[in-house]
């Protein structure tokens, strides 16, 4: 098939990233040509400040050398500036007369530095800080003892000042405003930053307006409006950037501040797309790399012909790339009417933390001196998580919540290179940093793939993300919510679920084909997730795929350390009888094994050999005992206390309700295991307030609690509501379970799901609209018609051979 012609104008990070994404999706769809003004391959512009400071050679910033273009059959026209687009003929014209045809055109023309129209701006030595050519000129002029003036106290200006100081120059920063980085910092943080810079020998002039540059052919001084003159052998102007829209404007493409694009990164000309610093989307323009890479992914999706990805803005984070200065700013940190502020200030240690909250959601974070929790704060902001339960320890950080791996008293910036970060794989900080810079890595998954750090137990994930953020600067933005479901696909859990629902996909192969799965059969991570999403979305229509189940679910029992299995029959509400006990006792005697009472008030028969499982199930099933689903991502047991029938403190019949709830809810598949409990009074003997759904009896009826968990991390439930009757309790439980089943991600406990979506959202969906609650409950009961199938009975009545459970026969080798 003849390939279409795709031209990329702009060989920078955003444009080439889009090509990389496109090659992964549709490697043979286009004949690709790339035009770039600079005579280089693609390099990491973010790391230029490290080149200037001498911390890295330019070679370490190169992302794709010429061999990469040749390997992928891409024609690279480096050093050629495109000066015109003939949209009628679908051609681009370069300044040297080169003409190239296109079927699709991608503009990634970046941004231009803002230069002041001041006297002397033309002098040699007055320059911006945008590309490697300017860095090379600075390095030519930078000599120990020479003087440099940096005009602009923003992020880029301060990084330039630091780099020149590292080269031995006497540096002065001139800033028009009364505080540094006024778009990212408030007054206290800016004051700490100014003090840190001055301690490093960088002079700072605030409220100083530049009037012009003085010199003959080369700059000799910078004149200020107050009459002072600052001697300068080099003047760097870093006061901002503006989208480079010249080519698009000349070609009649609609532009405002940037090239106007829609959510698919398409311009007003349907054959022309645009990404990067040159675009304007929903009134916003861009200067950090995180949104640009997301745009690249979206445009690649559309160029590949898939057409379902859309770009949406998210909170941006900024971090200063100056060694020894930890500074992080994200979101709406300014506060104001309607916002709450949590502030901790320790000037002696140079630590300042400010968190801005609105409606129990984190709206902004400003950290100076201790940025170890920046990724956690960003996650809370981006996900819109309800932080009401986290308030007591929010300022102190994730480590104070009891989770491992996401905290650390030692700032990553000052951590020695030989410090071991990933104990499972023996990976040090230096090894991770080297992989990031040598391989051009930008994401946690890429670091895992190349170094194995965080790929085993995962407890070091937070620290690896901090190293990524420090190495890449503020442009790094980890995005768990946007992480692909697994390495077999680019699609997130949410995208997969939406596609299954909207496209009415009912089988795994059908889903993989539609979403362009990278692997033909998937992997152990994605197949169970797909199987769950299909059967929970289309109950009775999508068929359960046993081969896409995890091992314990395939064999309907829990494998143990010695390779034997534990069999756990269901005991309704924890209530059993002499007949069931006799059957279990007979089995224990027959197979010479003990019986264990579990934490969920059930009786487990451990040490059963795999080949004996079908016989054990048949015996239990003959005596009306069903599988307890103790192995599954499903509703497990319903733990109950004896209630008012036996207990003198009991106020409600918890045992009766517990039995009724278990009989109605057993068999339901859920994103993760789901435990329920019913206590007859607030003494809570059934521990209902650490269950996924807990019911606690009170004088007026029942309290309903949700989102509890007990394990490595203990989380008490949130109170959902109070109801008067058993029927109301059951209806609310069904609605909550169905909402979790429909919106939770596979392997996401109900507690994590609630923290992601927020308790107010759950209450709104369950409590505010009675009809909506009933609709959720009805969908759950509909699904139960197909879910309440006892796998033991199914196996006992089936004439399928038991070869899966039979031990391999040992035969003598032929002589």
């Amino acid at each position: 098939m003849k390939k279409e012609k795709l031209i990329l104008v702009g060989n920078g990070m955003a444009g080439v990233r889009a090509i990389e994404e496109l090659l992964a999706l549709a490697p043979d769809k286009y004949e690709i040509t790339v035009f770039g003004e600079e005579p280089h391959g693609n390099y990491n512009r973010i790391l230029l400040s490290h080149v200037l400071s001498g911390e890295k050679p330019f070679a370490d910033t190169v992302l794709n050398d010429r061999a990469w273009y040749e390997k992928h059959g891409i024609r690279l026209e480096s050093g050629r500036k495109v000066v015109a687009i003939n949209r009628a003929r679908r051609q681009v014209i370069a300044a040297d007369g080169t003409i190239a045809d296109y079927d699709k055109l991608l503009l990634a023309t970046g941004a231009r530095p803002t230069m002041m129209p001041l006297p002397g701006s033309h002098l040699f030595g007055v320059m911006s800080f945008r590309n490697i050519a300017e860095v090379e000129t600075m390095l030519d002029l930078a000599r120990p003892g020479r003087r440099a003036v940096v005009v602009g106290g923003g992020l880029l200006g301060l990084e330039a000042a630091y780099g020149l100081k590292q080269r031995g120059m006497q540096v002065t920063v001139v800033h028009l405003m009364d505080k540094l980085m006024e778009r990212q910092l408030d007054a206290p943080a800016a004051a700490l930053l100014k003090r840190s810079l001055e301690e490093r020998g960088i002079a700072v002039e605030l409220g100083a307006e530049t009037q012009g540059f003085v010199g003959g052919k080369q700059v000799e001084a910078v004149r200020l409006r107050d009459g002072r003159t600052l001697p300068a052998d080099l003047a760097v102007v870093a006061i901002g950037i503006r989208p480079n829209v010249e080519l698009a404007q000349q070609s009649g493409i609609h532009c405002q501040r940037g090239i106007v694009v829609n959510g698919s990164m398409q311009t007003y000309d349907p054959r022309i797309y645009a990404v990067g610093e040159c675009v304007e989307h929903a009134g916003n323009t861009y200067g950090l790399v995180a949104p640009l890479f997301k745009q690249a992914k979206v445009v690649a999706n559309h160029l590949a012909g898939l057409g379902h990805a859309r770009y949406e803005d998210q909170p941006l984070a900024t971090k200063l790339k100056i060694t020894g200065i930890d500074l992080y700013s994200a979101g709406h940190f300014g506060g104001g009417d309607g916002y709450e502020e949590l502030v901790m200030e320790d000037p002696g240690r140079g630590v300042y933390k400010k968190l801005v909250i609105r409606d129990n959601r984190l709206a902004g974070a400003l950290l100076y001196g201790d940025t170890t929790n920046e990724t956690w704060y960003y996650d809370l902001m981006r996900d819109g998580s309800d932080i009401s339960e986290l308030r007591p320890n929010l300022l102190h950080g994730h480590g104070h919540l009891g989770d491992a791996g996401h905290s650390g008293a030692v700032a990553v910036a000052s951590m020695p290179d030989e410090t071991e970060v990933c104990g499972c794989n023996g990976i040090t900080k230096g090894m991770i940093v080297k992989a990031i810079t040598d391989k051009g890595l930008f994401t946690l998954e890429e670091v895992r793939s190349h170094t194995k750090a965080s790929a085993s137990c995962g407890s070091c994930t937070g620290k690896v993300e901090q190293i990524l953020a420090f190495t890449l600067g503020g442009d790094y933005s980890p995005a768990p919510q946007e992480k692909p479901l697994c390495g077999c696909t680019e699609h997130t859990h949410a995208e997969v679920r939406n596609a299954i629902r909207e496209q009415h996909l009912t089988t795994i192969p059908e889903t993989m084909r539609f979403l362009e799965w990278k692997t033909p059969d998937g992997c152990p991570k994605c197949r169970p997730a797909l199987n769950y999403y299909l059967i929970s979305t289309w109950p009775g229509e999508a068929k359960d795929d046993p081969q896409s189940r995890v091992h314990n679910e395939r064999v309907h029992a829990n494998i143990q350390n010695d390779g034997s299995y534990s069999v756990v029959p269901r005991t309704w509400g924890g209530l059993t009888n002499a007949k069931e006990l006799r059957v279990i006792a007979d089995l224990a005697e027959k197979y010479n094994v003990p019986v264990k009472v579990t934490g969920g008030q059930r009786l487990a028969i451990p040490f059963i050999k795999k080949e004996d499982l079908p016989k054990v199930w048949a015996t239990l099933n003959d005596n009306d005992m069903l599988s307890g689903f103790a192995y599954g991502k499903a509703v497990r047991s319903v733990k109950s206390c004896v209630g008012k029938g036996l207990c003198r403190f009991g106020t409600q019949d918890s045992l009766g309700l517990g039995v009724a709830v278990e009989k109605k809810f057993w068999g339901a598949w859920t994103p993760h295991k789901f435990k329920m409990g019913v206590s007859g009074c607030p003494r809570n003997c059934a521990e209902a307030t650490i269950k996924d759904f807990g019911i606690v009896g009170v004088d007026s009826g029942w309290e309903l609690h949700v989102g509890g968990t007990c394990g490595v991390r203990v989380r008490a439930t949130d109170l959902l509501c109070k109801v008067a009757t058993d029927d109301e309790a059951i209806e609310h439980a069904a609605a909550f379970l169905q909402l979790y089943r429909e919106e939770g991600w596979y392997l996401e406990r109900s507690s994590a799901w609630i923290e992601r979506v927020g308790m107010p959202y759950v209450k709104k969906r369950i409590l505010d609209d009675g009809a909506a609650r009933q609709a959720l409950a009805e969908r759950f009961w509909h699904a139960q018609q197909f879910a309440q199938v006892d796998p033991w009975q199914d196996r006992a009545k089936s004439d399928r051979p038991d070869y899966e459970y039979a031990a391999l026969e040992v035969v003598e080798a032929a002589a």
Side-chain angles (χ1 to χ4, degrees):
M1 187 175 69
K2 185 180 178 181
K3 292 184 178 180
E4 294 180 78
K5 293 180 179 178
L6 171 66
I7 290 180
L8 166 64
V9 178
N11 193 27
M13 295 175 68
V16 176
R17 184 66 168 221
I19 297 299
E20 291 175 338
E21 297 281 358
L22 177 60
L23 291 173
L25 294 173
D28 300 320
K29 186 175 176 63
Y30 290 101
E31 178 184 312
I32 301 173
T33 301
V34 177
F35 282 85
E37 289 186 35
E38 295 185 71
H40 307 284
N42 175 238
Y43 63 90
N44 187 343
R45 197 182 303 276
I46 300 166
L47 296 179
L48 286 180
S49 58
H50 292 302
V51 177
L52 181 61
S53 66
E55 295 170 74
K56 293 182 188 299
F58 173 65
D60 283 358
T61 70
V62 174
L63 298 172
N64 297 297
D65 57 18
R66 291 183 180 276
W68 178 83
Y69 294 86
E70 293 171 4
K71 175 184 174 183
H72 293 285
I74 298 171
R75 181 177 147 207
L76 174 59
E77 298 286 0
S78 59
R80 284 195 170 88
K81 180 181 179 181
V82 173
V83 294
I85 302 170
N86 187 329
R87 293 166 55 200
R89 294 183 176 180
R90 299 207 294 270
Q91 292 176 329
V92 299
I93 301 100
D96 65 355
T98 301
I99 297 176
D101 298 329
Y102 68 83
D103 296 301
K104 298 283 175 57
L105 176 63
L106 176 58
L107 298 178
T109 49
R112 301 283 194 209
T114 302
M115 295 297 287
M116 299 177 294
L118 298 175
S121 297
H122 64 285
L123 294 174
F124 180 71
V126 179
M127 64 185 62
S128 59
F129 178 31
R130 283 289 296 170
N131 56 45
I132 186 60
E134 291 169 332
V135 170
E136 289 171 344
T137 302
M138 288 187 213
L139 293 178
D140 287 340
L141 294 172
R143 296 287 185 276
R146 286 188 176 178
R147 294 155 300 188
V149 173
V150 176
V151 180
L155 189 68
L156 198 60
L158 297 184
E159 290 178 358
Y162 173 74
L164 294 170
K165 183 62 184 176
Q166 291 300 100
R167 294 290 180 174
M169 299 191 77
Q170 300 176 38
V171 181
T172 300
V173 174
V174 175
H175 194 49
L176 180 64
M177 309 305 289
D178 61 357
K179 62 176 182 281
L180 295 168
M181 294 182 64
E182 71 278 357
R183 296 177 64 184
Q184 291 88 18
L185 304 181
D186 63 4
L192 287 172
L193 174 60
K194 179 174 180 288
R195 188 179 78 181
S196 294
L197 292 171
E198 290 172 339
E199 289 172 351
R200 286 164 172 75
I202 298 173
V204 178
E205 296 285 350
L206 296 178
E209 183 177 355
T210 302
Q211 191 176 43
F213 303 95
V214 180
K217 293 183 179 178
Q218 182 174 344
V219 66
E220 296 174 1
V222 176
R223 181 181 297 129
L224 304 182
R225 186 165 294 279
D226 62 10
R228 289 184 293 160
T229 300
L230 303 177
D233 302 294
L234 171 65
V236 179
V237 180
I239 57 173
I241 59 173
R242 53 185 170 77
N244 180 6
V245 298
E246 297 163 11
L247 177 64
Q249 277 183 326
Q250 292 169 5
S251 306
I253 297 171
H254 179 55
C255 298
Q256 293 181 14
R257 286 189 300 152
I259 302 171
V260 177
V261 295
N262 60 19
S264 60
M265 309 313 297
Q266 194 175 42
T267 71
Y268 278 45
D269 183 330
R271 289 186 177 274
I272 302 178
Y273 294 79
V275 292
E277 293 171 326
C278 62
V279 308
E280 177 178 339
H281 172 261
N284 296 318
T285 57
Y286 306 88
L288 301 177
V289 78
L292 310 191
F293 280 0
K294 185 176 180 185
Q295 293 170 5
K297 187 181 284 288
V298 170
V299 78
N301 178 278
H302 287 269
L303 287 171
L306 303 179
H308 54 73
R310 291 192 64 78
Y311 176 76
E312 294 178 359
D313 286 313
Q314 291 190 338
L316 297 179
T318 301
K319 181 159 183 169
L320 191 63
K321 295 188 288 295
I322 292 179
T323 302
I325 297 180
D326 297 319
L327 186 161
Y328 177 83
S329 169
H332 183 80
F333 66 86
D337 291 342
Y339 292 89
E340 303 171 73
E341 296 181 5
L342 303 181
V343 178
M344 184 182 80
E345 188 170 5
D346 186 347
R349 289 197 304 129
V351 174
Y352 176 76
K353 297 181 181 181
K354 178 181 179 182
L355 303 178
V356 178
I357 298 167
R358 180 165 189 159
D359 298 332
N360 279 323
R361 300 288 192 278
L362 190 60
L366 178 53
L367 310 174
Y368 189 94
D370 179 4
T371 59
T372 50
N373 287 285
E374 64 190 49
T375 52
W376 181 52
Y377 292 137
Y378 186 87
D379 288 347
L380 293 174
M381 270 186 287
R382 185 205 50 227
D383 297 344
S385 302
D386 187 340
I387 54 86
S388 52
E389 299 294 328
L390 307 176
R391 277 176 178 267
N393 293 305
L394 193 62
L395 265 176
H396 300 292
H398 201 184
H400 290 260
L401 298 180
D403 287 347
H406 293 265
S407 61
V410 181
V412 167
S414 59
M415 183 190 296
D417 281 352
E418 59 272 19
T419 301
E420 186 177 81
V421 174
C422 177
C424 297
N425 297 292
I427 307 299
T428 66
K429 175 197 171 187
M431 295 163 70
I432 296 172
V433 171
K434 188 173 188 303
I436 293 170
T437 53
D438 287 357
K439 306 291 184 182
L441 311 181
F442 285 95
T443 67
L444 177 63
E445 289 302 324
E446 289 173 340
V447 173
R448 282 175 175 161
S449 175
H450 282 82
T451 69
K452 303 299 182 190
S454 168
S456 295
C457 75
S459 62
C460 62
T461 297
K463 197 147 287 179
V464 174
E465 288 180 320
Q466 289 163 8
I467 293 172
L468 257 170
F470 173 74
T471 307
L472 297 178
D475 301 301
Y476 168 66
S477 174
Q481 190 175 359
E482 298 179 351
K483 282 193 297 190
L485 192 154
C486 69
C488 300
T489 179
E490 295 294 326
H491 298 285
T492 64
H493 285 266
E495 290 169 342
V496 171
R497 295 209 76 161
N498 288 339
I500 288 172
R501 187 179 299 112
E502 293 170 1
Q503 302 301 321
H504 203 110
L505 306 175
T506 58
T507 68
I508 290 177
E510 191 180 14
T511 305
M512 288 181 169
R513 278 196 301 274
F514 179 79
L515 293 173
E516 303 275 352
W517 231 247
K518 296 178 184 177
T519 54
D521 300 315
C523 69
K525 189 173 181 180
C526 63
R527 289 194 72 94
L530 289 175
N531 189 53
Y532 168 72
Y533 291 150
L534 287 166
I535 61 175
S536 61
T537 306
W538 304 113
E541 192 170 351
K543 301 300 181 187
D544 185 27
D545 178 16
Q547 296 308 311
S548 296
R549 292 284 189 181
V550 296
H551 177 81
N552 285 352
E553 290 181 351
R554 282 204 306 274
V555 300
H556 315 304
N558 283 321
I559 192 168
Q560 301 171 145
N561 284 341
D562 62 352
S564 65
Y565 291 82
S566 176
V567 176
V568 185
R570 192 171 292 279
T571 48
W572 306 107
L575 185 67
T576 186
N577 54 47
K579 177 187 174 185
E580 292 176 349
L581 291 171
R582 193 173 296 114
V583 172
I584 291 173
D586 288 345
L587 284 170
E589 186 174 64
K590 177 179 181 180
Y591 291 98
N592 192 28
V593 295
V595 176
K596 171 73 174 69
V597 178
T598 73
Q601 294 182 332
R602 294 182 289 193
L603 295 172
I605 311 171
F607 305 117
I608 300 297
K609 295 178 182 177
K610 188 175 182 181
E611 55 266 34
D612 293 329
L613 286 174
K615 290 175 283 189
V616 172
W617 296 339
T619 300
L620 291 168
N621 207 251
D622 286 343
N623 290 278
D624 301 323
M625 299 181 74
L626 307 182
S627 167
F629 281 64
Y631 46 78
K633 308 292 182 280
V635 171
R636 297 280 183 91
S637 61
V638 179
K639 187 174 183 177
S640 308
C641 68
V642 295
K644 69 177 184 181
L646 292 172
C647 178
R648 60 193 177 93
F649 296 110
T651 58
Q652 298 292 343
D653 180 14
S654 53
L655 186 56
L657 182 58
V659 171
V661 167
E662 188 155 2
K663 289 191 173 182
K664 283 182 173 293
F665 287 82
W666 76 270
W669 295 106
T670 48
H672 209 302
K673 59 186 176 184
F674 192 91
K675 298 181 178 181
M676 305 176 79
V678 185
S679 290
C681 77
R683 288 174 175 78
N684 195 16
C685 292
E687 301 168 334
T689 50
I690 54 171
K691 302 296 184 186
D692 294 274
F693 194 93
I695 304 173
V696 178
V698 292
D699 289 342
S700 58
W702 300 101
E703 285 183 353
L704 306 182
H705 298 257
V706 296
T709 183
C710 182
V712 175
R713 179 188 175 198
V714 179
R715 183 185 192 276
T717 49
D718 297 304
L719 177 63
L720 179 66
C721 64
K722 294 181 180 179
V723 297
T725 67
D726 291 7
D727 288 344
E728 288 177 285
I730 289 172
E731 180 186 280
H732 282 71
F736 175 79
L737 239 168
Q738 185 63 15
L739 187 61
Y740 170 52
R741 279 161 44 88
E742 291 179 355
E743 300 189 1
W745 297 333
Y746 187 69
L747 295 185
E748 184 178 40
R749 288 293 299 266
S750 68
S751 54
W753 168 66
I754 287 174
E755 289 178 1
R756 174 164 62 85
V757 302
M759 197 57 201
Y761 170 79
V762 175
K763 287 185 175 180
K764 180 179 179 182
R765 294 292 307 274
I766 305 293
L767 305 180
D768 289 1
D769 186 341
R773 178 176 66 249
Q774 289 175 5
L776 280 167
E778 287 170 4
R779 291 203 292 276
F780 178 79
W781 301 129
H782 171 73
Q784 283 297 84
Q785 298 176 47
F786 311 100
Q788 289 193 325
V789 176
D790 179 31
W792 295 354
Q793 186 181 57
D794 183 56
R795 166 61 65 172
K797 292 184 176 179
S798 170
D799 56 1
R800 286 174 290 172
D802 287 338
Y803 61 84
E804 184 179 350
Y805 300 94
L808 292 175
E809 184 180 356
V810 179
V811 298
E812 296 291 336

